[in-house]
Amino acid sequence: MLLECLAQLTQIDTRDIEAAQAVVDSCLTAILDPSLWIWATVITAICSGVGALIGWAKGRTVAGLVWGTVLGPIGWIVIALSKSKLPECPQCGRPNSESAKICRHCGTDFRKHAQRTVRSGLKADNTSGGW
């Protein structure tokens, strides 16, 4: 319908005001059709939701929501390739949830690791017993 309006607009006889007004009115009716706006709203909501889910997995829910809403699937790629804001394990370097007490990848206890001093960390690493 919109393509038909564009085609009609290019072929308007500028001397016939009533015909031009009829074409403009039919195009305006097509643009303001509620079903078009419902589809646009539903697609935008889906893109926002998927972007928020991808952002949630990276610790960046709001950024994912915004990128998904503004750019849709391109925003999904942007947020998926962005750096994670989740805290990393000091042992293996992989991301964990903010409320995690133990690394889900390597099993490091974060509470015990936080209590270590620099010297105890160096001592634990030096277990070879020699030079």
Side-chain angles (χ1 to χ4, degrees), residues 8-124:
Q8 289 176 357
L9 285 172
T10 59
Q11 298 171 358
I12 291 178
D13 183 12
T14 56
R15 291 172 278 160
D16 189 5
I17 301 281
E18 293 172 2
Q21 185 65 39
V23 170
V24 169
D25 286 342
S26 69
C27 289
L28 188 60
T29 302
I31 290 172
L32 296 177
D33 183 22
S35 64
L36 176 71
W37 289 99
I38 290 171
W39 274 105
T41 304
V42 168
I43 289 171
T44 302
I46 290 170
C47 289
S48 300
V50 171
L53 284 173
I54 294 170
W56 176 74
K58 297 280 217 164
R60 303 182 67 190
T61 308
V62 175
L65 179 74
V66 170
W67 282 109
T69 303
V70 173
L71 295 177
I74 296 171
W76 302 343
I77 295 169
V78 169
I79 197 67
L81 295 176
S82 68
K83 185 170 174 24
S84 176
K85 287 203 172 183
L86 293 174
E88 294 179 352
C89 173
Q91 200 66 23
C92 68
R94 295 178 74 186
N96 288 281
S97 68
E98 294 187 25
S99 61
K101 296 177 181 160
I102 296 175
C103 178
R104 64 180 175 170
H105 305 287
C106 68
T108 299
D109 189 347
F110 296 138
R111 292 171 292 181
K112 287 182 182 177
H113 195 273
Q115 294 172 351
R116 281 186 176 172
T117 63
V118 175
R119 184 170 181 240
S120 66
L122 291 173
K123 191 174 183 180

